Amino acid sequence: GAPGATTRGLVGPAKPILATIIGALFVLICLVPVWRKRAALPPSRPARFVPAGDSVVGWAEDSNRALLAWTLQHRWIAALLSIAALCTIAIPFGNTSLTAFGEDEDTSELEFWIDLEDNFTLSEASDEMLRYERFVEEFRDEMGFKNVVARFDPGGGEIELRWPERIAPKLLEGYRDRIRKRVPAHAGHRVYFRGQDEISDSSKQFVTFELRGPDPDRLLELGDSAVDLLARVPGLADVKASTEDQPDQLLLELDGDTAFRFGVTSETALQNVGWALRGTQLPRYQEEDREVPMYIEYDDAIYAGVHTLEDLVVFGSERSVPLATFSELSYRPAPSRIVRRNGQITHSITARLADPTRQAELVEAGYDALESLDMPRGYALGRDDSVVVRGQQEMRDLQNAMLLSVVLVFLLMGILFESLLLPLSVLTTIPFAMLGALWTLYVTGTPMDSIGWIGIIILVGVVVNNGIVLIDKIHRLRKVDGRPRADAVVEGAAARVRPIVMTALTTVVGLLPMALGDAPTQGIDYRALSTCVAGGLAICTFFTLWVVPLTYTVVDDLSHTLGWLVRRSFAGRPRGAVGAGPVAAPLGRR
């Protein structure tokens, strides 16, 4: 809870921070060159404030030369500084809030639903809903909503409050709690603050708890107790069992002993009920060039509905008897479908989350509260299929995909560079890209989700491009032009400042509209993905121009050391010798 609270506190200033960054980039790109041209005139500022070079890019190239010159002279200090910068990833990694995959709630609307008893007419339902319309009008000035929408039928209705634009999710949740506490309690009414269409696997606002067992009636009793326990968990609201919205269905209970005395079996009784309700199909009537389907069923005028089943005559093996003689008919709520997992019936309970970023924490707290249920043998909680377990499995799959992408990128670079060591210097861009991605999420207050991890996987293939062009330039300056390594590193990096910065900035700026946009109420939220890619690429651009050349020199020294060791090992063994022995010449003589 605390990490998520720390990050959520930064959601408000996220857009001003990004606007400041954009403004700073505009000043550097557009105004500094003008400033330099005016420096030729009688200066109004000291000359030391004017950047060296003819442009911002020239100033960046000179700065990069100076940084790399210092880095090559103090490689150990530079390595320690880069490692220390990389270690700061622990701060955003431990404090960035995690949210589940799914759709966000539309924060420009607030709805609540009213269930009415079955004895209301449409006109009476209209009068009852009017009472709730008048109730919410008391909050118009306080909450600032513009419209009130009421929909209803004889069984109930919906009251919807609409704002002209989105409001903060925390503010909307506060309004919902205020209305929930003050909504009037009328006889024959039941008020709840969620619709059945809102509860789905794609919603971040709702979670599901499961009870499993062999007997649905016993599960129903346990479900009532579970609802009471979950309603007392802080952070969970609108707790509701899946059976509360079940329609009434006709229940036919047969007395087996009485039916046996009349020579009627349960199969015979159910066949007669089926014939009475839906009839049965006869063989098709054959005519020339056509077939006519034939059905036999009771006369609609006589058997108009299921209430006539009480007088239905059932044909037994010996005689005909009324169905009511050995059975009992009643209406009871019953599920429209039965869900089984591993052969066990599943009873579901849903709840609204006060804070979707605390989904994993609240789910665990809910299941911990359900542990106090007195569950008989054969009944269990559905922890193994909770949203937390599914989320952990999803994260493991994404992490495995990221590792596989790193391996594939390494193999491809090894083939193109014709070396197994040069790709290592390029791969150093990946951890710094993750550093930039997580820090950007932390600063902007954007929750991390599975789509954000997909953005990090995309970064693996994007950030190595800048490292490839940089290492290729340095390598060509050494092999083709014969430049010393230090000169090749400094000049090669300076020559690649412009293309690397240009490609990075165009990508980052192109992702800003997606990163700064509001969360969609339908569809996938791509804010975490765009924030990861843009932030990771922006931060990694600096480290690419600094750490990758440093790593190149280390890898180059490593390759020379390994080559020397290999040559020494083979040089110390005379021709024709198999293994070490007294015949081998001393290593120092060769």
PDB file of all heavy atoms in Angstrom, residues 216 242-243 246-247 249 333-338:
ATOM      1  N   PRO A 216     -23.945 -27.088  -4.383  1.00  0.00           N
ATOM      2  CA  PRO A 216     -24.243 -25.671  -4.628  1.00  0.00           C
ATOM      3  C   PRO A 216     -25.016 -25.015  -3.491  1.00  0.00           C
ATOM      4  O   PRO A 216     -24.840 -23.824  -3.230  1.00  0.00           O
ATOM      5  CB  PRO A 216     -25.064 -25.704  -5.928  1.00  0.00           C
ATOM      6  CG  PRO A 216     -25.610 -27.092  -6.020  1.00  0.00           C
ATOM      7  CD  PRO A 216     -24.590 -27.971  -5.371  1.00  0.00           C
ATOM      8  N   SER A 242     -22.416 -13.776  -6.855  1.00  0.00           N
ATOM      9  CA  SER A 242     -22.925 -13.977  -8.209  1.00  0.00           C
ATOM     10  C   SER A 242     -24.366 -14.468  -8.214  1.00  0.00           C
ATOM     11  O   SER A 242     -25.065 -14.335  -9.222  1.00  0.00           O
ATOM     12  CB  SER A 242     -22.030 -14.973  -8.956  1.00  0.00           C
ATOM     13  OG  SER A 242     -21.989 -16.218  -8.263  1.00  0.00           O
ATOM     14  N   THR A 243     -24.835 -15.037  -7.102  1.00  0.00           N
ATOM     15  CA  THR A 243     -26.196 -15.581  -7.053  1.00  0.00           C
ATOM     16  C   THR A 243     -27.245 -14.530  -6.733  1.00  0.00           C
ATOM     17  O   THR A 243     -28.441 -14.816  -6.800  1.00  0.00           O
ATOM     18  CB  THR A 243     -26.271 -16.695  -5.992  1.00  0.00           C
ATOM     19  OG1 THR A 243     -25.812 -16.174  -4.735  1.00  0.00           O
ATOM     20  CG2 THR A 243     -25.396 -17.871  -6.399  1.00  0.00           C
ATOM     21  N   GLN A 246     -29.566 -13.787  -9.679  1.00  0.00           N
ATOM     22  CA  GLN A 246     -30.090 -14.949 -10.381  1.00  0.00           C
ATOM     23  C   GLN A 246     -31.596 -14.826 -10.590  1.00  0.00           C
ATOM     24  O   GLN A 246     -32.322 -14.400  -9.684  1.00  0.00           O
ATOM     25  CB  GLN A 246     -29.784 -16.223  -9.588  1.00  0.00           C
ATOM     26  CG  GLN A 246     -28.302 -16.555  -9.532  1.00  0.00           C
ATOM     27  CD  GLN A 246     -28.039 -17.762  -8.662  1.00  0.00           C
ATOM     28  OE1 GLN A 246     -28.924 -18.254  -7.971  1.00  0.00           O
ATOM     29  NE2 GLN A 246     -26.818 -18.240  -8.690  1.00  0.00           N
ATOM     30  N   PRO A 247     -32.076 -15.201 -11.751  1.00  0.00           N
ATOM     31  CA  PRO A 247     -33.528 -15.152 -11.992  1.00  0.00           C
ATOM     32  C   PRO A 247     -34.242 -16.312 -11.296  1.00  0.00           C
ATOM     33  O   PRO A 247     -33.637 -17.351 -11.000  1.00  0.00           O
ATOM     34  CB  PRO A 247     -33.621 -15.294 -13.516  1.00  0.00           C
ATOM     35  CG  PRO A 247     -32.397 -16.073 -13.895  1.00  0.00           C
ATOM     36  CD  PRO A 247     -31.318 -15.643 -12.939  1.00  0.00           C
ATOM     37  N   GLN A 249     -36.379 -19.475 -11.126  1.00  0.00           N
ATOM     38  CA  GLN A 249     -36.623 -20.598 -12.027  1.00  0.00           C
ATOM     39  C   GLN A 249     -37.528 -21.616 -11.336  1.00  0.00           C
ATOM     40  O   GLN A 249     -37.598 -21.674 -10.106  1.00  0.00           O
ATOM     41  CB  GLN A 249     -35.300 -21.260 -12.439  1.00  0.00           C
ATOM     42  CG  GLN A 249     -34.375 -20.345 -13.224  1.00  0.00           C
ATOM     43  CD  GLN A 249     -33.139 -21.070 -13.711  1.00  0.00           C
ATOM     44  OE1 GLN A 249     -33.058 -22.289 -13.658  1.00  0.00           O
ATOM     45  NE2 GLN A 249     -32.156 -20.309 -14.196  1.00  0.00           N
ATOM     46  N   PRO A 333     -34.528 -18.728  -6.860  1.00  0.00           N
ATOM     47  CA  PRO A 333     -33.420 -18.200  -7.671  1.00  0.00           C
ATOM     48  C   PRO A 333     -32.438 -19.327  -8.012  1.00  0.00           C
ATOM     49  O   PRO A 333     -32.082 -20.142  -7.156  1.00  0.00           O
ATOM     50  CB  PRO A 333     -32.775 -17.153  -6.758  1.00  0.00           C
ATOM     51  CG  PRO A 333     -33.830 -16.814  -5.753  1.00  0.00           C
ATOM     52  CD  PRO A 333     -34.624 -18.064  -5.553  1.00  0.00           C
ATOM     53  N   ALA A 334     -32.017 -19.355  -9.231  1.00  0.00           N
ATOM     54  CA  ALA A 334     -31.096 -20.395  -9.677  1.00  0.00           C
ATOM     55  C   ALA A 334     -30.148 -19.792 -10.707  1.00  0.00           C
ATOM     56  O   ALA A 334     -30.526 -18.900 -11.466  1.00  0.00           O
ATOM     57  CB  ALA A 334     -31.853 -21.583 -10.277  1.00  0.00           C
ATOM     58  N   PRO A 335     -28.899 -20.231 -10.723  1.00  0.00           N
ATOM     59  CA  PRO A 335     -27.928 -19.667 -11.674  1.00  0.00           C
ATOM     60  C   PRO A 335     -28.278 -20.032 -13.106  1.00  0.00           C
ATOM     61  O   PRO A 335     -28.808 -21.113 -13.387  1.00  0.00           O
ATOM     62  CB  PRO A 335     -26.598 -20.299 -11.240  1.00  0.00           C
ATOM     63  CG  PRO A 335     -26.991 -21.560 -10.545  1.00  0.00           C
ATOM     64  CD  PRO A 335     -28.299 -21.277  -9.875  1.00  0.00           C
ATOM     65  N   SER A 336     -28.013 -19.098 -13.993  1.00  0.00           N
ATOM     66  CA  SER A 336     -28.237 -19.382 -15.413  1.00  0.00           C
ATOM     67  C   SER A 336     -27.169 -20.299 -15.978  1.00  0.00           C
ATOM     68  O   SER A 336     -27.354 -20.898 -17.036  1.00  0.00           O
ATOM     69  CB  SER A 336     -28.266 -18.068 -16.207  1.00  0.00           C
ATOM     70  OG  SER A 336     -27.066 -17.338 -16.006  1.00  0.00           O
ATOM     71  N   ARG A 337     -26.051 -20.409 -15.285  1.00  0.00           N
ATOM     72  CA  ARG A 337     -24.994 -21.334 -15.688  1.00  0.00           C
ATOM     73  C   ARG A 337     -24.231 -21.769 -14.453  1.00  0.00           C
ATOM     74  O   ARG A 337     -24.204 -21.070 -13.437  1.00  0.00           O
ATOM     75  CB  ARG A 337     -24.040 -20.690 -16.697  1.00  0.00           C
ATOM     76  CG  ARG A 337     -23.266 -19.506 -16.177  1.00  0.00           C
ATOM     77  CD  ARG A 337     -22.513 -18.790 -17.266  1.00  0.00           C
ATOM     78  NE  ARG A 337     -21.728 -17.689 -16.732  1.00  0.00           N
ATOM     79  CZ  ARG A 337     -20.406 -17.630 -16.765  1.00  0.00           C
ATOM     80  NH1 ARG A 337     -19.714 -18.619 -17.307  1.00  0.00           N
ATOM     81  NH2 ARG A 337     -19.753 -16.597 -16.262  1.00  0.00           N
ATOM     82  N   ILE A 338     -23.626 -22.919 -14.532  1.00  0.00           N
ATOM     83  CA  ILE A 338     -22.820 -23.473 -13.443  1.00  0.00           C
ATOM     84  C   ILE A 338     -21.390 -23.615 -13.946  1.00  0.00           C
ATOM     85  O   ILE A 338     -21.150 -24.231 -14.984  1.00  0.00           O
ATOM     86  CB  ILE A 338     -23.370 -24.834 -12.974  1.00  0.00           C
ATOM     87  CG1 ILE A 338     -24.786 -24.654 -12.398  1.00  0.00           C
ATOM     88  CG2 ILE A 338     -22.455 -25.457 -11.943  1.00  0.00           C
ATOM     89  CD1 ILE A 338     -25.426 -25.954 -11.962  1.00  0.00           C
TER      90      ILE A 338
END
